[in-house]
């Protein structure tokens, strides 16, 4: 007998010994050797090693239909069928084990285990082999085919195409708006001269009586440069409005940091107006809700020969706390007055709310100008912009006179239908 046959016989012996150990343990048959050590764990290990040697999982054949299984036990997480040895075969095996497996020859061991071996699988016919080979060819072709590649990477291709399209569109739009802003900056530049600003607006049919702007604080005020830039922007806008003849200006900044520097802001605005108008600059009144205004410049107008052409400008500083918070406070106040019978519920109307908010915060502006590249109100008081014309220049960066001039031009052409 060759060495391979002996290995096969050894594996078959170990396999069926494991089956016997599982069945005998369930039936109460002792499976201990002379040393008293249970051999069931060793049989299970040999059984698993023998199965791995052939490249398959441990399994047992299905019991015949006319035979009842003696036991169902689990080995390595598998549910197996254990067919018991006959008493004669078991006695022969025990006797051979007693003599260290030297009593029986390999041929006798094969004959001993042959009745318990599973039936061999049927050989594959030509049709079956042809179908399996065709399936394998199709799988290889599918793994390397163009259709499979496109099907797996189609979404990546679509995403890249959309990204490319929008990238080109955004770049072209930014270039177009940059050229337009540059044209307005060069052709309509104020040069710190009220006469040039008045020349630009002289053909406009109307101007807003109340202009409002939204400014943003850079770096959240962590450095003094952001606050200084914010104050300079407010001074420039005030000078442009005074030159255009707009008497009411409201400056919105979300954090309300300008309210803590009213005197400094007023001084900067006065200096900027003096740069534009000279010694006879208009008077400035700068305040905020619930903060008394600061006024100056009254004496400079009295001695001016062009006093009739100089109009005072009133500037109001507002922030996010003057928006929704003021509406909430007014609602609480009206509710308490109604509970105390000081105000009837029928007296609470839209006109009453509008009058209270206009007195406590400000009146509705005619035009709201945004200097940001997109429309962002940033908590602006919502009640005051019900009928306000909102203007912004797409892709704009920073405060500029050209944005204000384009806003005034659009306001002059707008139709105020008041909801009709």
């Amino acid at each position: 007998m060759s060495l391979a046959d002996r290995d096969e016989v050894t594996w078959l012996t170990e396999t069926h010994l494991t089956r016997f150990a599982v069945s005998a343990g369930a039936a109460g048959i002792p499976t201990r050797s002379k040393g008293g050590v249970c051999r069931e764990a060793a049989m299970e290990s040999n059984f698993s090693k023998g199965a791995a040697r052939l490249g398959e999982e441990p399994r047992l054949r299905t019991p015949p239909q006319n035979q009842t299984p003696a036991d169902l036990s689990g080995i390595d997480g598998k549910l197996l069928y254990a067919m018991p040895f006959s008493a004669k075969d078991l006695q022969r095996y025990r006797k051979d084990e007693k003599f260290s497996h030297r009593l029986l020859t390999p041929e006798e061991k094969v004959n001993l285990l042959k009745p318990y071996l599973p039936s061999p699988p049927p050989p594959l016919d030509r049709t079956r082999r042809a179908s399996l080979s065709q399936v394998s060819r199709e799988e290889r072709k599918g793994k390397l085919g163009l259709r499979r590649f496109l099907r797996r990477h189609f979404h990546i291709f679509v995403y890249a195409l959309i990204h490319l399209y929008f990238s080109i569109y955004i770049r072209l739009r930014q270039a177009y708006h940059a050229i337009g802003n540059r044209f307005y900056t060069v052709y309509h530049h104020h040069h710190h001269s009220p006469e040039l600003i008045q020349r630009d607006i002289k053909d406009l049919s109307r101007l807003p009586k109340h202009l409002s702007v939204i400014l943003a604080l850079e770096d959240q005020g962590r450095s003094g440069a952001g606050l200084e830039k914010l104050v300079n922007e407010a001074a420039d806008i005030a000078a442009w409005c005074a030159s255009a003849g707009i008497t009411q200006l409201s400056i919105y900044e979300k954090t309300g940091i300008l309210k803590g520097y009213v005197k400094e802001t007023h001084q900067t605005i006065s200096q900027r107006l003096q740069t534009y108008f000279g010694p006879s600059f208009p008077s400035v009144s700068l305040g905020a809700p619930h903060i008394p205004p600061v006024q100056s410049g009254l004496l400079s107008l009295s001695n001016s020969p062009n006093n009739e052409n100089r109009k005072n400008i009133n500037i109001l500083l507002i922030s996010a706390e003057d928006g929704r918070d003021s509406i909430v406070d007014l609602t609480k106040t009206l509710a308490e007055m109604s509970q105390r019978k000081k105000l009837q519920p029928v007296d609470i109307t839209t006109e009453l709310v509008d009058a209270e908010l206009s007195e406590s915060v400000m009146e509705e502006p005619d035009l709201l100008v945004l200097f940001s590249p997109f429309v962002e109100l940033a908590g602006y008081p919502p009640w005051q912009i019900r009928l306000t014309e909102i203007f912004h220049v797409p892709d704009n960066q920073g405060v500029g006179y050209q944005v204000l001039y384009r806003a005034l031009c659009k306001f002059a052409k707008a139709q105020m239908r008041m909801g009709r």
Side-chain angles (χ1 to χ4, degrees):
M1 178 178 291
S2 63
L3 182 59
D5 296 337
R6 290 182 181 180
D7 292 340
E8 183 177 3
V9 170
T10 304
W11 173 71
L12 292 174
T13 304
E14 293 173 351
T15 302
H16 288 280
L17 280 178
T18 304
R19 298 173 181 171
F20 166 73
V22 175
S23 177
I29 301 175
T31 58
R32 297 182 181 274
S33 61
K34 291 181 179 181
V37 180
C38 181
R39 300 181 58 86
E40 180 178 350
M43 293 177 182
E44 292 179 2
S45 178
N46 293 334
F47 178 42
S48 300
K49 293 179 180 178
R53 191 181 305 166
L54 294 181
E56 61 182 15
E57 297 182 354
R59 67 175 187 271
L60 294 177
R61 67 177 181 177
T62 307
Q65 297 181 358
N66 57 355
Q67 185 176 356
T68 303
D71 183 31
L72 288 174
S73 303
I75 298 178
D76 295 336
K78 303 294 182 179
L79 192 62
L80 304 176
Y81 169 77
M83 180 178 292
F85 283 81
S86 63
K88 183 180 178 180
D89 294 338
L90 181 58
Q91 185 178 4
R92 292 181 61 190
Y93 174 77
R94 290 300 185 189
K95 189 175 180 179
D96 181 65
E97 183 185 17
K98 186 177 180 180
F99 290 94
S100 300
H101 299 286
R102 295 193 297 269
L103 183 60
L104 297 178
T105 62
E107 291 79 4
E108 292 177 345
K109 291 179 181 180
V110 172
N111 295 330
L112 177 64
L113 299 177
K114 188 175 295 185
Y116 307 99
L117 295 177
S119 58
L124 297 177
D125 53 0
R126 294 183 178 179
T127 306
R128 181 61 176 173
R129 291 179 181 177
S131 61
L132 291 177
S133 61
Q134 183 179 0
V135 170
S136 62
R137 286 196 301 270
E138 291 180 355
E139 290 180 354
R140 289 195 298 270
K141 183 178 179 181
K143 291 180 179 179
L144 303 177
L146 180 60
R147 294 182 180 178
R148 186 180 183 88
F149 175 80
L150 293 177
R151 185 168 60 252
R152 287 188 174 184
H153 300 82
F154 179 73
H155 62 285
I156 301 178
F157 173 75
V158 173
Y159 171 78
L161 187 62
I162 295 176
H163 189 273
L164 178 62
Y165 170 77
F166 277 98
S167 298
I168 296 175
Y169 165 74
I170 291 175
R171 294 295 182 183
L172 293 177
R173 188 191 67 182
Q174 291 177 349
Y176 172 77
H177 290 147
I179 295 174
N181 292 338
R182 188 63 180 173
F183 170 78
Y184 276 97
T185 302
V186 174
Y187 190 74
H188 298 279
H189 195 274
H190 52 83
H191 296 285
H192 297 84
S193 173
E195 289 75 13
L196 294 179
I197 297 178
Q198 293 175 2
R199 187 190 66 180
D200 291 337
I201 66 173
K202 68 178 182 179
D203 295 332
L204 300 180
S205 60
R206 58 175 180 170
L207 293 175
K209 297 180 180 180
H210 181 186
L211 177 68
S212 183
V213 296
I214 296 179
L215 302 180
L217 176 63
E218 295 183 357
D219 299 333
Q220 300 298 323
R222 289 189 291 268
S223 61
L227 178 60
E228 182 180 359
K229 181 181 178 181
L230 184 64
V231 173
N232 291 328
E233 290 174 350
D236 289 335
I237 295 173
W240 299 336
C241 291
S243 301
I246 300 174
T247 58
Q248 185 68 29
L249 173 64
S250 58
I251 300 176
Y252 174 83
E253 196 278 320
K254 185 176 181 179
T255 62
I257 190 173
L258 291 178
K259 294 181 180 180
Y261 300 89
V262 175
K263 294 183 179 180
E264 292 80 359
T265 304
H266 181 273
Q267 183 180 0
T268 304
I269 293 175
S270 300
Q271 294 176 356
R272 193 61 51 83
L273 290 176
Q274 188 175 3
T275 304
Y276 275 72
F277 293 92
S280 59
F281 61 91
S283 65
V284 181
S285 175
L286 179 64
H290 313 294
I291 297 178
V294 179
Q295 298 181 358
S296 67
L298 297 176
L299 296 178
S300 62
L301 288 176
S302 59
N303 299 327
S304 175
N306 297 326
N307 189 9
E308 64 279 0
N309 296 328
R310 298 288 185 263
K311 296 182 180 180
N312 300 337
I313 180 171
N314 299 319
I315 303 176
L316 185 66
L317 303 177
I318 56 177
S319 60
E321 63 181 4
D322 301 320
R324 294 180 176 85
D325 294 342
S326 61
I327 297 177
V328 173
D329 295 339
L330 178 60
T331 303
K332 292 180 180 179
T333 302
L334 295 178
E336 291 177 357
M337 294 179 64
S338 178
Q339 291 177 355
R340 295 175 183 177
K341 306 300 181 181
K342 294 183 179 181
L343 184 67
Q344 298 297 327
V346 295
D347 297 333
I348 303 176
T349 60
T350 305
E351 290 76 11
L352 176 62
V353 175
D354 183 62
E356 293 293 335
L357 291 178
S358 300
E359 182 179 358
S360 61
V361 182
M362 67 174 184
E363 296 181 354
E364 296 183 8
D366 299 322
L367 176 63
L368 176 61
V369 181
L370 283 70
F371 296 95
S372 57
F374 46 84
V375 177
E376 182 182 5
L377 299 180
Y380 192 92
W383 186 272
Q384 281 78 7
I385 55 174
R386 297 176 301 168
L387 303 175
T388 302
E389 185 76 17
I390 301 176
F391 177 83
H392 91 290
V393 177
D395 303 320
N396 176 70
Q397 299 293 338
V399 177
Y401 170 73
Q402 74 280 0
V403 179
L404 180 63
Y405 172 72
R406 295 172 67 177
L408 295 178
C409 294
K410 183 177 180 181
F411 177 81
K413 298 177 182 179
Q415 296 180 2
M416 302 295 179
R417 299 181 180 180
M418 304 300 178
R420 295 190 298 270

